[in-house]
Amino acid sequence: MSDRVVPPTARQRRRPTKQGVVLSEELIVETALRLIEEHGADALSVRRLGRALGADPSSLYRYFRHTDDLMLAIADELIGRTLRTWRPTGDWRADLRDLGLRMHAGALAHPRAAVLSSFRVTGRVYEIQAVETLLGVLRGAGFPDAEAVRIYHAFVDQALSFGALDAAGAALPRAAREAETGVWRATYARLPADTHPNIAATAHHLVADMRRSSYPAALDLLLSAAELRLTEIRGRPEA
Amino acid sequence: MSDRVVPPTARQRRRPTKQGVVLSEELIVETALRLIEEHGADALSVRRLGRALGADPSSLYRYFRHTDDLMLAIADELIGRTLRTWRPTGDWRADLRDLGLRMHAGALAHPRAAVLSSFRVTGRVYEIQAVETLLGVLRGAGFPDAEAVRIYHAFVDQALSFGALDAAGAALPRAAREAETGVWRATYARLPADTHPNIAATAHHLVADMRRSSYPAALDLLLSAAELRLTEIRGRPEA
DNA sequence: GACCTTATGACAACACCGTTGACCTGTTAA
DNA sequence: TTAACAGGTCAACGGTGTTGTCATAAGGTC
């Protein structure tokens, strides 16, 4: 049944569904994104999406081979949206920080899509654009090529992987998510000092810190280390 | 139905299943891990697990409230296996580096389970042990409590999220994985210098670097930044 | 405007999934 | 010996993704 999907360009006859909706790849992706945003990540199922569109679930298989296909289409749309409004200022550290936070926020806004797409290399236009821009920022800052690539790689993977990590947490059913934050309060904060001295001493900090994403802190650490490298390099340019 | 699960310590009557298997929390977790590694993450379902154990699926609900509980138990087992052979040397930076690399390697050794469990807080014994140990290393190094927690959080999340990221890549079907590494060679390395100067200038480095995990580099960056913080703190102890 | 082709939506079915309430039975303690 | 009950089993519910088949409206052609 893999010949069921017709490439979007070749699509010509658009018959409205029983409920009068004219389907299209774009409409499906948009509706899916809206569904995720409004009713949580697990609201996205072929059947629910069909219902939301006013179409039979099986109709969607005329546009996407399977749900994974749909997820990738959604992810692609997300990359575009993240990059579309970003503009470099010339301050490499501020630029990288801004971009990192945007990528992370983009992932959190659409957790399911982020989780599925974070580890894929698409080789598509937006991704290429991002690589070029990022490398430009780093080389412009004065990092030698090998170092720029090394830091680019770490930076991107950090943004993607933290994005996915936090997105996965956000995509958890509400009950499970609340249970997790409760664990720090109910379990860790109550461990006695004689058996777990370090946890007991920092319990207050743990409860406060662990409910937040560690990405901003990790990002700042990475940028600090990069800046340190840069000053070392400038000190001995031929090293 | 929440009183269905009996705490492991209170469990005493162990009746064998129809097929003669004596169930236990450990046996279930072990079997689940085996199932995941052998047949992929999707192979883990209550019904399949029941079949693999030689027990009715509903029996598992005597041991775990729901599938999520089971996932947490699996995650904790993985943490335990990682930690079991680790011994601190007293050099905080070397210790953290070693531990980070171990966690990463552990994730790669059980890619599917890692992907499923990396973002969960289990509140179980092994996890607690890990938290206590890590905080001990950082506080012992001289980080004040708030700073120790901040760095602990970033360190752990980075190890887990990069672990999951690389594990997800490793869990990809072989064809897809090869296609991805090919993209760097076939697409990026061939971009002309006039439209993509930064990629063209670093293409050689990109092809070499992007096929490797960026975790070791990211880890070293994080540790460098932490060390920098430590010298700053020592410079002005009351800051 | 009628006709033919065919793209595309609808339907029904399949094989799964997690979870639960009711039941039954072997083990254990008294 | 017996009574309690932990723990395994059964059957069912409402969900899921996916597919084989069918019907029909759109589009091109005359």
Side-chain angles (χ1 to χ4, degrees):
Chain A
M1 265 298 120
S2 59
D3 54 339
R4 206 166 234 192
V5 175
V6 170
T9 51
R11 206 173 276 277
Q12 37 194 9
R13 312 187 185 181
R14 331 210 65 126
R15 165 145 64 134
T17 69
K18 257 192 172 173
Q19 302 186 34
V21 185
V22 176
L23 294 179
S24 71
E25 202 169 314
E26 296 80 37
L27 179 63
I28 295 174
V29 169
E30 267 170 39
T31 307
L33 272 173
R34 188 166 52 73
L35 216 55
I36 293 177
E37 271 168 17
E38 284 175 11
H39 302 97
D42 33 346
L44 189 65
S45 74
V46 178
R47 301 174 113 99
R48 251 199 270 240
L49 183 52
R51 225 178 296 135
L53 280 162
D56 189 273
S58 66
S59 304
L60 305 184
Y61 288 87
R62 300 276 181 210
Y63 294 83
F64 301 97
R65 266 199 250 286
H66 31 243
T67 23
D68 238 45
D69 252 28
L70 173 60
M71 283 315 310
L72 287 183
I74 294 173
D76 215 49
E77 173 62 22
L78 280 187
I79 296 176
R81 290 189 186 185
T82 299
L83 225 67
R84 204 161 291 153
T85 58
W86 179 77
R87 294 287 174 279
T89 67
D91 175 350
W92 72 269
R93 183 158 175 173
D95 284 344
L96 288 189
R97 197 180 135 82
D98 182 37
L99 190 55
L101 292 177
R102 272 169 195 258
M103 292 173 71
H104 188 254
L108 280 185
H110 300 275
R112 278 254 312 234
V115 167
L116 283 181
S117 64
S118 63
F119 54 91
R120 300 219 167 153
V121 180
T122 68
R124 290 165 142 265
V125 274
Y126 286 135
E127 191 191 61
I128 293 176
Q129 216 175 82
V131 175
E132 173 67 16
T133 310
L134 270 167
L135 284 174
V137 169
L138 287 166
R139 294 177 78 225
F143 288 100
D145 291 351
E147 194 75 11
V149 166
R150 222 172 59 96
I151 291 179
Y152 157 76
H153 194 183
F155 172 85
V156 156
D157 278 8
Q158 189 189 52
L160 290 175
S161 67
F162 273 76
L165 188 82
D166 292 331
L172 240 44
R174 238 193 65 200
R177 207 160 68 253
E178 282 169 5
E180 295 222 339
T181 66
V183 165
W184 292 101
R185 208 177 248 100
T187 304
Y188 282 89
R190 290 188 185 162
L191 291 170
D194 52 342
T195 60
H196 299 82
N198 293 301
I199 291 176
T202 57
H204 177 70
H205 294 294
L206 278 174
V207 170
D209 202 287
M210 298 310 286
R211 67 190 320 161
R212 292 198 301 264
S213 165
S214 60
Y215 179 63
L219 174 59
D220 283 332
L221 287 172
L222 186 141
L223 293 175
S224 290
E227 195 162 2
L228 181 64
R229 286 289 298 136
L230 194 57
T231 62
E232 285 172 9
I233 288 163
R234 281 186 179 140
R236 41 176 176 90
E238 304 313 321
Chain B
M1 264 300 120
S2 59
D3 54 337
R4 208 166 233 193
V5 175
V6 169
T9 50
R11 208 173 274 277
Q12 37 194 5
R13 312 184 185 183
R14 333 209 63 128
R15 164 146 62 131
T17 70
K18 258 190 171 174
Q19 300 186 36
V21 184
V22 176
L23 294 179
S24 71
E25 202 169 315
E26 297 78 40
L27 180 62
I28 294 174
V29 168
E30 267 171 38
T31 308
L33 263 176
R34 189 166 49 74
L35 217 55
I36 291 174
E37 290 315 325
E38 283 176 13
H39 302 100
D42 299 348
L44 189 65
S45 75
V46 177
R47 302 177 112 100
R48 247 198 271 238
L49 183 52
R51 224 178 299 137
L53 280 162
D56 189 273
S58 66
S59 306
L60 305 185
Y61 288 86
R62 301 276 182 210
Y63 294 83
F64 302 96
R65 265 200 253 288
H66 31 243
T67 13
D68 215 58
D69 253 28
L70 173 60
M71 263 335 296
L72 293 183
I74 293 172
D76 203 54
E77 172 61 22
L78 279 186
I79 297 174
R81 291 189 184 185
T82 299
L83 223 68
R84 204 161 289 152
T85 57
W86 179 78
R87 294 288 174 277
T89 67
D91 175 351
W92 70 269
R93 182 159 177 173
D95 284 345
L96 288 188
R97 195 180 137 81
D98 182 37
L99 193 54
L101 292 177
R102 274 168 192 258
M103 291 174 71
H104 189 254
L108 283 183
H110 296 271
R112 331 257 196 181
V115 168
L116 288 180
S117 66
S118 63
F119 54 92
R120 305 310 308 272
V121 179
T122 70
R124 286 160 162 266
V125 276
Y126 290 133
E127 190 191 62
I128 293 176
Q129 217 175 83
V131 175
E132 173 67 18
T133 309
L134 269 167
L135 283 174
V137 169
L138 286 166
R139 293 177 79 226
F143 288 99
D145 290 351
E147 195 75 11
V149 167
R150 223 172 57 95
I151 292 178
Y152 156 77
H153 193 182
F155 172 87
V156 155
D157 278 7
Q158 181 161 290
L160 290 176
S161 67
F162 274 73
L165 189 81
D166 292 333
L172 235 47
R174 236 193 64 196
R177 205 159 70 252
E178 283 168 4
E180 297 221 337
T181 66
V183 166
W184 292 102
R185 209 178 247 100
T187 304
Y188 282 88
R190 289 187 184 163
L191 290 170
D194 52 343
T195 61
H196 299 83
N198 294 300
I199 291 176
T202 57
H204 178 71
H205 294 295
L206 278 174
V207 170
D209 202 287
M210 297 310 286
R211 67 192 322 163
R212 293 198 300 265
S213 166
S214 60
Y215 180 63
L219 175 59
D220 283 333
L221 286 173
L222 187 142
L223 293 175
S224 290
E227 194 161 5
L228 182 65
R229 286 291 296 135
L230 195 55
T231 61
E232 286 173 9
I233 289 164
R234 280 184 180 143
R236 44 179 172 86
E238 303 310 323

